[in-house]
Amino acid sequence: MTVSTRVAIDPFGADIIAESARLRSLGPVVPVELPGGIPAWAPTGYDTLRKLILDPQISKDPRKHWSLFDAVADHPDWAWILGWVGVRNMLSSYGEDHTRLRRLVAPSFTARRTEAMRARVEAITAELLEDVDAAGAGGGAVDVKALLAYALPMRMICELFGVPDHLTDATGRLIAAVMDTTDPSPEHGAFVQEQIVTVLGGLIAYKVEHPGDDMTSELVRVRDGGGDRLSDEELLYTLLLVIGAGFETTVNLIGNAVVALLQHPGQLAAVRAGTLSWDQVVDEVLRLQPSIASLPLRFAVTDVTVDGVTIPAGDAVLTTYAAAGTDPTHYGETAAAFDATRAADDHMAFGVGVHRCIGAPLARAEAVTALSALFGRYPDLALAAKPDELKQVPSFIAYGWQEIPVLLRG
């Protein structure tokens, strides 16, 4: 395949597993086109992606290493990518810059803080299940995504970052807009940038006036302290990263697990019997349906050759977690099937190496707590729609369901 025959990535993410298989049939690294016509390379297998992630010649800094970064302004339909690469945080930094930012941010994500939040996770989950009960009292369908899978991470992230009530809904809408890859128009890109400044700038201003025992207040203190500190821009986009990563990904993890278990009653029975653990379920969901299917973007610092394919210096690389998780070379012929008995704890859904997600322990704690409580409370829980009636979130980045209608008592 020549570079001139790039494969267009479906911006709606309608069938990510099938799309990954098609790309894999074309080679280990395939030239693709992202929404708006942005050129990139897509690794299609587990080992290939891992090699690229861990290669020091693969950067995450577009300003230094993406040959087309300055051309974004000349392509209005590329504006959406600026929400991912036009920011200054750990996600878009490389080398010493990344080390510095992670060192400044990591103390806010201590194991002590995560462990202290477990009691809150359990308490909030119990409250939300009361809401689920009330919604299903008449025997009709209940959207368990809205009432639990969405509501729990939203409550948790707002408590962690001290988001005031008047900014809660706007924060959720902002993250949804960033994840939406179906509209590459300059208007959508401008809207996202405006909302980042308005919503997160508003949060920063609020915490300056009302500091508390929360992560936003801690990050503001890092910005305002002496010595090495966050700039105003770094603070703004670090909040975008950690709030978005801590919220949207956990929503999809919980929702995807609910659907997977309801579609595989034998495995659900094994979990209830104690022969499968919730951690095994979480790992298998993250392997098969990672909350982030593909993450834009990384960049070749020099010409990089992997598995016989050379990625020219300055080219962009898509981080294809979903393709890696369904690679039959690594996970066997049943890689496209849900099987929580497999050893899937080597999945890369939380990242690998220096960019591994620092909030992963909290996301896992929320998922395990929510799932065990939901399925423990409703032994006859069932989907209220046929599997092919469920609709994916419209995104090639986020991997989840728009709604998850269930019947609480079968």
Side-chain angles (χ1 to χ4, degrees):
M1 172 180 291
T2 64
V3 175
S4 62
T5 56
R6 292 186 179 275
V7 179
I9 296 295
D10 176 14
F12 290 87
D15 194 340
I16 291 173
I17 290 178
E19 182 173 66
S20 297
R22 287 195 298 271
L23 290 175
R24 194 176 299 113
S25 71
L26 299 175
V29 186
V30 177
V32 296
E33 184 178 278
L34 306 187
I38 299 172
W41 294 86
T44 63
Y46 181 98
D47 291 337
T48 305
L49 178 60
R50 186 177 177 85
K51 289 174 191 174
L52 287 170
I53 289 176
L54 297 177
D55 190 330
Q57 295 306 307
I58 295 294
S59 166
K60 296 201 76 173
D61 190 331
R63 294 171 178 81
K64 293 180 180 178
H65 301 124
W66 188 21
S67 61
L68 297 178
F69 182 72
D70 291 337
V72 173
D74 299 325
H75 294 79
D77 288 349
W78 294 12
W80 68 271
I81 198 68
L82 291 176
W84 296 93
V85 304
V87 298
R88 292 187 184 274
N89 57 32
M90 292 182 293
L91 193 65
S92 60
S93 57
Y94 170 74
E96 293 181 358
D97 291 336
H98 176 264
T99 300
R100 168 183 161 273
L101 286 172
R102 192 172 181 104
R103 184 177 65 249
L104 291 173
V105 173
S108 298
F109 291 82
T110 62
R112 177 194 61 80
R113 185 189 289 273
T114 299
E115 189 59 34
M117 293 302 295
R118 287 183 183 274
R120 285 299 296 149
V121 173
E122 293 173 358
I124 292 172
T125 299
E127 290 178 25
L128 294 174
L129 288 179
E130 292 298 319
D131 295 338
V132 171
D133 252 357
V142 173
D143 181 6
V144 78
K145 175 179 178 177
L147 294 179
L148 181 64
Y150 179 96
L152 173 60
M154 174 55 80
R155 288 271 299 272
M156 289 302 303
I157 210 71
C158 287
E159 286 196 12
L160 277 170
F161 287 90
V163 179
D165 291 344
H166 71 275
L167 288 176
T168 298
D169 290 343
T171 300
R173 289 194 297 269
L174 167 61
I175 302 306
V178 172
M179 292 291 178
D180 184 356
T181 58
T182 65
D183 182 2
S185 70
E187 290 78 14
H188 179 72
F191 171 77
V192 170
Q193 292 300 314
E194 184 270 331
Q195 287 298 296
I196 290 172
V197 174
T198 300
V199 177
L200 298 182
L203 173 59
I204 292 168
Y206 181 85
K207 298 315 295 186
V208 169
E209 294 296 323
H210 306 87
D213 182 19
D214 57 76
M215 290 188 183
T216 303
S217 296
E218 287 189 16
L219 291 172
V220 168
R221 285 191 284 271
V222 173
R223 179 195 65 177
D224 296 340
D228 193 12
R229 55 187 179 177
L230 293 169
S231 69
D232 288 339
E233 185 180 17
E234 289 168 343
L235 172 59
L236 184 72
Y237 290 121
T238 292
L239 283 172
L240 176 66
L241 171 61
V242 293
I243 291 176
F247 165 61
E248 178 74 16
T249 55
T250 310
V251 172
N252 292 335
L253 170 55
I254 296 171
N256 291 346
V258 170
V259 173
L261 287 172
L262 292 179
Q263 290 179 330
H264 297 85
Q267 295 182 58
L268 175 56
V271 176
R272 285 175 164 149
T275 56
L276 273 178
S277 70
W278 286 114
D279 279 320
Q280 286 176 286
V281 170
V282 167
D283 282 329
E284 177 65 356
V285 170
L286 289 170
R287 176 198 71 82
L288 182 63
Q289 292 180 300
S291 301
I292 298 296
S294 294
L295 187 63
L297 287 166
R298 296 174 188 248
F299 314 96
V301 178
T302 62
D303 288 357
V304 175
T305 300
V306 59
D307 295 339
V309 178
T310 298
I311 302 171
D315 277 16
V317 180
L318 194 60
T319 310
T320 47
Y321 297 122
T326 54
D327 181 6
T329 302
H330 188 80
Y331 288 108
E333 294 181 359
T334 63
F338 180 81
D339 180 4
T341 65
R342 82 171 82 238
D345 58 355
D346 65 345
H347 66 79
M348 294 186 281
F350 286 132
V352 180
V354 297
H355 285 279
R356 180 171 172 80
C357 177
I358 58 179
L362 181 59
R364 182 180 291 272
E366 288 183 47
V368 168
T369 300
L371 293 169
S372 60
L374 176 69
F375 284 101
R377 187 171 182 133
Y378 305 110
D380 298 318
L381 192 72
L383 282 174
K386 296 178 181 178
D388 60 2
E389 294 175 339
L390 298 177
K391 297 180 180 179
Q392 288 281 347
V393 171
S395 175
F396 79 90
I397 297 174
Y399 200 171
W401 304 104
Q402 294 184 41
E403 298 178 344
I404 306 175
V406 298
L407 298 172
L408 302 182
R409 294 168 182 84

